[in-house]
Amino acid sequence: METMTKKILIIEDDQSIAELERDYLEIEGFQVEIATEGKSGLDAALHRHFDLIILDLMIPNINGFDICKRVREVSNIPIIMVTAKFEDIDKVRGLGLGADDYVVKPFSPRELVARVKAHISRYERLIQMDTPKDEIHIRGLQINTASRQVFLDGKEVLFTTKEFDLLSFFAIHPNQVFSKEELFEKIWGLDSMGDNATVTVHVKKIRKKIEKDTSKPEYIQTMWGSGYRFNG
């Protein structure tokens, strides 16, 4: 059966970097479109189909944070943020807005291609996988793994792709303790800098959406020195 060519959107104002990324991706069989400023990049992301977005944080007109936020309002496709800044707060902010991964300039184009492949592959597996239970009900929380919907006390709550993946993983494995490293491997499946921050940010975002009191979580509990446990 013929496999459809995967389409990548690069939003990057540095033409030389964008073309380098495009060249490496096209060698691997990807179809690539480049946008060199925020407005055209956001328009492309919102109105055309792509399988993954490579997003520079410091893009002109509309910065990468705002683009990520807007895209996440309508789509769960993988987003890899590219930044020349080393501050952890930028990485945490980007992950908190729904980015799936980040790379810091200068980076290896081959590493970027590997991450693109891994994120697309993982995303496709997650949306196609047949989980043991289509619906999970726990104290007012309903998780439908087939439709990828979450309801709290009957009202739908929206989650990004990775937030949903992490929450459903917790719910499918109740009362088990997982370290941050284990969770990162299970959900992201990549060796990446800042993996602990990635998990922490996503747990915090999930808690804000499902917990009545985030200081005393009912569902996702912190096991100090060990990791997290979903109270089933």
Side-chain angles (χ1 to χ4, degrees):
M1 184 174 66
E2 184 178 355
T3 301
M4 292 185 63
T5 301
K6 302 302 180 184
K7 298 176 67 175
I8 310 297
L9 173 62
I10 297 174
I11 306 178
E12 167 66 67
D13 65 315
D14 188 319
Q15 190 73 30
S16 62
I17 292 178
E19 290 176 355
L20 179 65
E21 295 170 350
R22 180 197 61 196
D23 291 346
Y24 273 82
L25 289 165
E26 287 182 344
I27 289 172
E28 295 297 324
F30 292 100
Q31 182 178 338
V32 181
E33 180 174 329
I34 295 173
T36 56
E37 48 87 27
K39 186 176 180 180
S40 61
L42 178 61
D43 183 72
L46 294 180
H47 298 105
R48 295 200 292 280
H49 169 74
F50 295 95
D51 295 285
L52 182 141
I53 297 173
I54 299 172
L55 175 61
D56 180 44
L57 279 185
M58 307 307 292
I59 196 81
N61 302 135
I62 306 175
N63 67 48
F65 293 121
D66 291 336
I67 293 174
C68 183
K69 183 178 180 181
R70 290 285 303 278
V71 171
R72 276 292 171 259
E73 291 173 356
V74 298
S75 174
N76 285 323
I77 68 168
I79 297 175
I80 299 177
M81 281 192 164
V82 178
T83 175
K85 304 174 71 174
F86 286 87
E87 288 83 352
D88 284 342
I89 190 167
D90 291 312
K91 300 171 186 176
V92 170
R93 182 183 176 192
L95 294 168
L97 288 172
D100 297 279
D101 199 1
Y102 63 85
V103 293
V104 178
K105 298 177 183 177
F107 55 84
S108 162
R110 289 187 177 87
E111 178 188 355
L112 179 64
V113 171
R115 292 186 186 221
V116 167
K117 289 181 177 179
H119 278 293
I120 290 178
S121 177
R122 180 166 293 271
Y123 179 68
E124 290 181 337
R125 289 200 306 271
L126 287 169
I127 62 176
Q128 293 175 3
M129 72 176 181
D130 183 18
T131 53
K133 296 171 66 177
D134 284 347
E135 286 198 2
I136 302 168
H137 297 262
I138 303 173
R139 299 185 304 282
L141 183 66
Q142 176 187 341
I143 303 170
N144 190 310
T145 57
S147 65
R148 297 180 67 83
Q149 291 176 290
V150 179
F151 298 86
L152 184 63
D153 297 328
K155 183 178 180 180
E156 185 172 6
V157 182
L158 300 179
F159 287 81
T160 67
T161 299
K162 286 296 187 286
E163 289 170 0
F164 181 87
D165 295 340
L166 184 57
L167 176 60
S168 59
F169 178 82
F170 274 130
I172 293 170
H173 303 88
N175 305 315
Q176 298 182 44
V177 178
F178 293 96
S179 69
K180 294 176 183 179
E181 291 78 10
E182 289 173 325
L183 292 169
F184 186 83
E185 181 181 351
K186 296 288 186 182
I187 304 303
W188 283 265
L190 298 171
D191 293 326
S192 174
M193 295 172 57
D195 54 332
N196 286 357
T198 302
V199 174
T200 301
V201 167
H202 281 74
V203 168
K204 183 177 180 180
K205 298 286 284 187
I206 293 170
R207 281 174 170 166
K208 286 183 178 180
K209 295 180 179 182
I210 66 173
E211 300 286 1
K212 295 178 181 178
D213 183 354
T214 56
S215 66
K216 299 178 181 178
E218 176 185 357
Y219 295 103
I220 302 177
Q221 299 176 335
T222 299
M223 309 303 293
W224 296 108
S226 300
Y228 297 103
R229 179 184 66 187
F230 188 84
N231 182 18

